[in-house]
Amino acid sequence: MEKQDRFYRDTWVEVDLDSISANVTAVKNHLPRNVDIIAVVKANAYGHGDVQVARAALEAGAVYLAVAFMDEAIALRKKGITAPILVLGASRPEDAGTAASLDITLTIFQKTWLERAQECFSKDARLRVHLKVDTGMGRIGVRSLEELTEIEQLLQQDQRFIFEGIFTHFATADELDTSYFQQQFTAFKEMVDGLSCKPKYVHCSNSAAAIRFKEAAFNAVRLGIAMYGLSPSLEMEREIPFPLHEAFSLKTRVVHVKKLHKGDKVSYGATYESCGEEWIGTLPIGYADGWIRRLSGQEVLVGGVRVPIVGRICMDQCMVRLPEYVPIGTEVTLIGKQKGRNISINEIAAKLETINYEVPCIIASRVPRIYKRKGKTIDIKNYLI
Ligand code: PMH
């Protein structure tokens, strides 16, 4: 890593933007030409960095961005993103005017929301909206054709709304059993057919559906996890017909090395005891960084060799047992590749008994993110499209 004067700790995330671009391109090439990519960059781009991933995705051909909340959309606008942004989750109807003024697209998911927004909205406001249909995910969305028709009529009568899209979200597109997916897909088609006029964007596919079910692509897909180089599930990993490239690595450096003697203890609770003469290294990363205590015993890469974390993980530090002395400053890979060896996000997810989505999301914002293009750290301030 090249030294940057922005941060002073030896723990950092590296995000390979070439991987993001390659993954977007691969999915785009996999789909029919008329299908647009909506890059899902909510939750700080699944922990990777919202504006950097957004720019890389747009550069690779995505035409729309999607986030969870208005705050995330506003953050992107403040960072100079002018591309269309869809807020997937619920916004307050009173905030519709703010969204309109920033050209942020909101999701409509109930008739009462629309009526309330109409009351709060100024005469000359223009708001892009996508209508969310709940076909079986059970979160937000319109569930009946009746409500859909009522909302469509209200939108048609009110010039302040640009009815730009309709969408739904699948609960099981990543599972090998496709029956529930088919049920949702059929329900969505019925709802779309029930509209008197189709909006510009009709979209239902997440990464799993985009990769597996081209017939469900309509004219846009919402690409999240696959853009980050991860499989939507272990079940469907083998079904992905092109390589995905993991963009996220987590690194640190050894800040202290010592030799322990038989019986010496390590960390809180003194739960780890040295069996003999052992080299113990200290790493400046801990549970406040999202490297949580459950990862005690997990291996990390030092000099291309797997070494275990020993003792309890502290708030800001943890210890590893080294096969031999290593100099202070030796680079350590907690997630990612080192000298031909790899610790994948899936490995960490398995250790934590969770899904890969969660892993980059829980690496705390106090861990700085640095960005790579062609293997080199890029100056993000000068990285504009
Ligand atoms: N569209 C919506 C509405 C979503 O909630 C998500 C991901 C995506 C698209 C992208 O899905 P993908 O990452 O599988 O491609 N949402 C979530 C979630 O709420 N929890 O995990 C993933």
Side-chain angles (χ1 to χ4, degrees):
M1 185 189 60
E2 285 138 54
K3 277 271 173 223
Q4 298 207 344
D5 46 23
R6 286 190 293 130
F7 54 90
Y8 300 90
R9 65 181 300 201
D10 273 335
T11 297
W12 70 100
V13 164
E14 260 173 41
V15 178
D16 181 22
L17 295 175
D18 290 333
S19 297
I20 301 280
S21 310
N23 297 328
V24 171
T25 305
V27 175
K28 206 169 157 45
N29 290 341
H30 175 70
L31 291 165
R33 275 210 180 160
N34 66 323
V35 178
D36 280 331
I37 304 269
I38 301 172
V40 181
V41 294
K42 61 182 180 163
N44 195 29
Y46 295 28
H48 292 64
D50 58 358
V51 69
Q52 297 82 1
V53 170
R55 284 187 183 139
L58 292 166
E59 208 174 48
V63 301
Y64 227 110
L65 303 170
V67 295
F69 310 116
M70 261 178 70
D71 307 73
E72 294 179 340
I74 292 168
L76 284 169
R77 284 281 179 263
K78 282 191 179 150
K79 291 173 192 166
I81 296 290
T82 55
I85 307 173
L86 169 64
V87 176
L88 296 164
S91 309
R92 300 184 201 113
E94 308 91 82
D95 295 330
T98 305
S101 69
L102 293 165
D103 199 13
I104 291 167
T105 310
L106 295 188
T107 290
I108 295 189
F109 54 94
Q110 59 195 201
K111 190 181 156 211
T112 48
W113 186 99
L114 181 54
E115 288 164 346
R116 180 85 187 98
Q118 284 178 313
E119 284 165 24
C120 312
F121 224 32
S122 76
K123 258 196 218 128
D124 48 358
R126 287 284 174 283
L127 179 71
R128 284 176 213 282
V129 293
H130 287 211
L131 183 52
K132 177 77 184 280
V133 180
D134 179 12
T135 54
M137 179 69 185
R139 297 199 296 203
I140 56 170
V142 171
R143 292 172 71 95
S144 72
L145 205 50
E146 198 186 357
E147 192 177 6
L148 180 91
T149 309
E150 282 171 3
I151 292 177
E152 190 187 19
Q153 279 167 4
L154 283 177
L155 290 173
Q156 277 166 351
Q157 287 155 12
D158 193 333
Q159 293 298 303
R160 297 172 300 176
F161 294 93
I162 304 161
F163 181 24
E164 193 193 56
I166 182 163
F167 72 108
T168 194
H169 191 54
F170 295 120
T172 63
D174 59 343
E175 290 178 13
L176 295 186
D177 179 348
T178 60
S179 51
Y180 196 71
F181 163 80
Q182 290 299 347
Q183 208 175 303
Q184 282 197 267
F185 182 41
T186 306
F188 184 59
K189 279 190 287 192
E190 276 167 20
M191 291 292 243
V192 174
D193 289 343
L195 292 171
S196 68
C197 188
K198 276 199 192 57
K200 181 174 174 191
Y201 293 108
V202 180
H203 50 105
C204 58
S205 292
N206 52 6
S207 296
I211 293 168
R212 296 175 73 204
F213 309 110
K214 287 187 196 178
E215 68 276 19
F218 291 93
N219 59 9
V221 299
R222 299 184 308 275
L223 188 65
I225 199 73
M227 173 168 68
Y228 303 101
L230 299 168
S231 172
S233 70
L234 295 176
E235 263 177 84
M236 70 162 278
E237 202 157 16
R238 282 210 216 117
E239 284 194 20
I240 305 176
F242 45 82
L244 288 173
H245 305 278
E246 268 187 53
F248 188 98
S249 309
L250 178 62
K251 299 189 176 178
T252 189
R253 288 183 192 278
V254 176
V255 290
H256 188 62
V257 183
K258 60 188 160 289
K259 192 192 256 181
L260 294 193
H261 301 289
K262 189 173 168 29
D264 287 348
K265 308 278 205 288
V266 173
S267 197
Y268 284 115
T271 55
Y272 181 77
E273 186 177 316
S274 179
C275 295
E277 294 218 327
E278 287 181 4
W279 287 105
I280 298 292
T282 303
L283 310 180
I285 181 168
Y287 66 74
D289 298 303
W291 199 250
I292 62 175
R293 284 168 51 132
R294 183 105 55 91
L295 289 164
S296 181
Q298 169 63 34
E299 291 171 333
V300 302
L301 293 167
V302 183
V305 177
R306 282 175 171 262
V307 306
I309 296 173
V310 295
R312 291 189 186 151
I313 293 175
C314 310
M315 189 183 287
D316 325 291
Q317 304 175 67
C318 63
M319 275 59 77
V320 289
R321 189 179 60 231
L322 301 164
E324 59 192 10
Y325 170 82
V326 303
I328 306 299
T330 298
E331 193 168 301
V332 177
T333 299
L334 300 104
I335 297 174
K337 293 196 177 69
Q338 192 191 77
K339 297 194 175 164
R341 293 279 175 87
N342 185 35
I343 295 176
S344 66
I345 288 188
N346 280 345
E347 177 180 335
I348 304 299
K351 174 86 184 170
L352 293 174
E353 294 176 36
T354 185
I355 52 169
N356 54 16
Y357 290 69
E358 208 172 8
V359 175
C361 286
I362 64 168
I363 300 304
S365 59
R366 80 169 187 171
V367 180
R369 270 65 173 165
I370 68 156
Y371 295 89
K372 298 256 167 177
R373 278 282 190 200
K374 297 195 170 70
K376 288 210 174 109
T377 305
I378 59 162
D379 178 356
I380 209 70
K381 285 191 268 332
N382 296 325
Y383 175 61
L384 296 168
I385 56 159

